[in-house]
Each structure stands twice: as structure tokens, then as C-alpha cells.
Amino acid sequence: FPQILLYLLTNRLLKFFILIGFGLYLQKDFILPSGSLLVDGGAAIVPNVTKAVQVARQRGMLVVWVVREHDALGRDVELFRRHLYRTDKVGPTVKGHEGAELVEGLEIHEEDYKLVKTRMSAFFATPLHSVLQTSGIDSLVIVGVQTPNCIRQTVFDAVALDYPSVTVIVD
């Protein structure tokens, strides 16, 4: 993981990078054992994600944190997840609740960009494409958990939007 990142960050062929510290998903509901949508092995990547973010910041790259934050009643969540949002229980990644927070060791800095999404792709119904364009970003480096869902969908959309370089860092 760190060796691949170092190679990518020093490769002169790629002019711009973005590290999307995907809260896909680095939030407590996906990483902690008590999380309502625990991803097996998710906690194991946190130290490497921390290193990747440090390197990206040292190199002056834009770090975009993509997180899910939902309405307490689940009105903005996919239909197949709405059963998780009942009045007698707090659903996953509800805005303002602990499960929506980033796990310990990961924090959003002032120069970073926080993007809140409610669907699998970070591009769907968000300003991400516009933010990247106005920031001069044309190459993406993506890291996180939930590869079969959110990372994959975001990568598909990035390719469809003609980003010339889309890289997923795996651990």
C-alpha cells in the first residue's frame, strides 16, 4: 500500500491528484465493532489511510473526504436501506450521531474538502465533479472500504466523466 502510493505520488506523468479518503467508508458505523454496518477488515486499513493522507497533504494535494450522512428518518437513503431507519433506533451514519463520525486517527483539515453523499457514487447528486474541475484535478487516487459498492460506483462514474487517470489503492 505505501509503496504503491509513493510511486503514484512521484509519477511525473500524472499532473494532478486527489486522494479521496473515502468515508467509503471510514466512519464509525462501518469500522468499529459496534458499528451498525461493520465492514470486515475495515479497521485494518485505517493506519495506511492515515499515512496516505499525510503524504498527500505533504505534497499539496487536495484531500476530499466523502462521507455518508443521513436524515434520522432515512428519507434520503436508498429504498433497500430504509428499513434500517426506524423511530425506535438510530440508523447508520445519521447526521450528528457518533456513527457518522470519522474513526479515530482520521480528521478533516481546513484545507481538505468534505463531501456529503447519500448514494453509492460520490458523483451522484453531489458537487464533486464541479469541485474537481475548478480545482484543476484530472487524476484521482481513491482509497477506502466498501469496494464492491461505493468505490466501484464512484470509479465507474469517474471513468464515464472522462477522468484520464483513476487509481484505487488496495491494501
Side-chain angles (χ1 to χ4, degrees):
F1 181 94
Q3 294 83 5
I4 293 171
L5 178 65
L6 187 57
Y7 168 77
L8 290 170
L9 297 181
T10 58
N11 183 348
R12 300 222 182 257
L13 297 174
L14 300 176
K15 191 171 182 183
F16 297 104
F17 283 91
I18 176 173
L19 178 75
I20 302 183
F22 270 109
L24 303 178
Y25 288 100
L26 299 168
Q27 292 162 275
K28 291 180 180 179
D29 272 343
F30 297 97
I31 302 295
L32 297 183
S34 61
S36 58
L37 294 175
L38 177 64
V39 175
D40 289 337
I45 75 161
V46 173
N48 283 334
V49 170
T50 302
K51 290 176 192 172
V53 170
Q54 288 172 345
V55 170
R57 286 182 179 137
Q58 288 169 355
R59 304 238 186 243
M61 296 177 189
L62 174 63
V63 176
V64 176
W65 295 93
V66 180
V67 298
R68 274 193 180 249
E69 289 182 357
H70 292 292
D71 170 77
L73 299 178
R75 292 174 286 205
D76 57 355
V77 74
E78 298 97 334
L79 285 175
F80 70 90
R81 294 181 200 248
R82 291 213 175 130
H83 69 280
L84 300 172
Y85 297 80
R86 301 186 313 256
T87 56
D88 61 329
K89 179 183 159 195
V90 175
T93 64
V94 169
K95 184 176 182 170
H97 288 268
E98 183 180 10
E101 296 172 2
L102 291 177
V103 293
E104 187 176 327
L106 300 177
E107 66 179 60
I108 300 170
H109 288 194
E110 186 177 331
E111 66 273 12
D112 298 343
Y113 185 80
K114 177 183 174 183
L115 179 81
V116 176
K117 71 182 190 79
T118 59
R119 294 293 189 265
M120 290 188 189
S121 173
F123 289 99
F124 183 81
T126 73
L128 180 59
H129 184 55
S130 176
V131 167
L132 298 178
Q133 286 183 318
T134 59
S135 298
I137 304 296
D138 67 358
S139 299
L140 310 181
V141 177
I142 301 172
V143 63
V145 298
Q146 279 289 14
T147 302
N149 298 322
C150 299
I151 292 176
R152 179 177 61 181
Q153 191 60 47
T154 298
V155 167
F156 286 168
D157 285 351
V159 170
L161 289 166
D162 292 327
Y163 285 89
S165 177
V166 180
T167 302
V168 177
I169 299 177
V170 297
D171 190 8

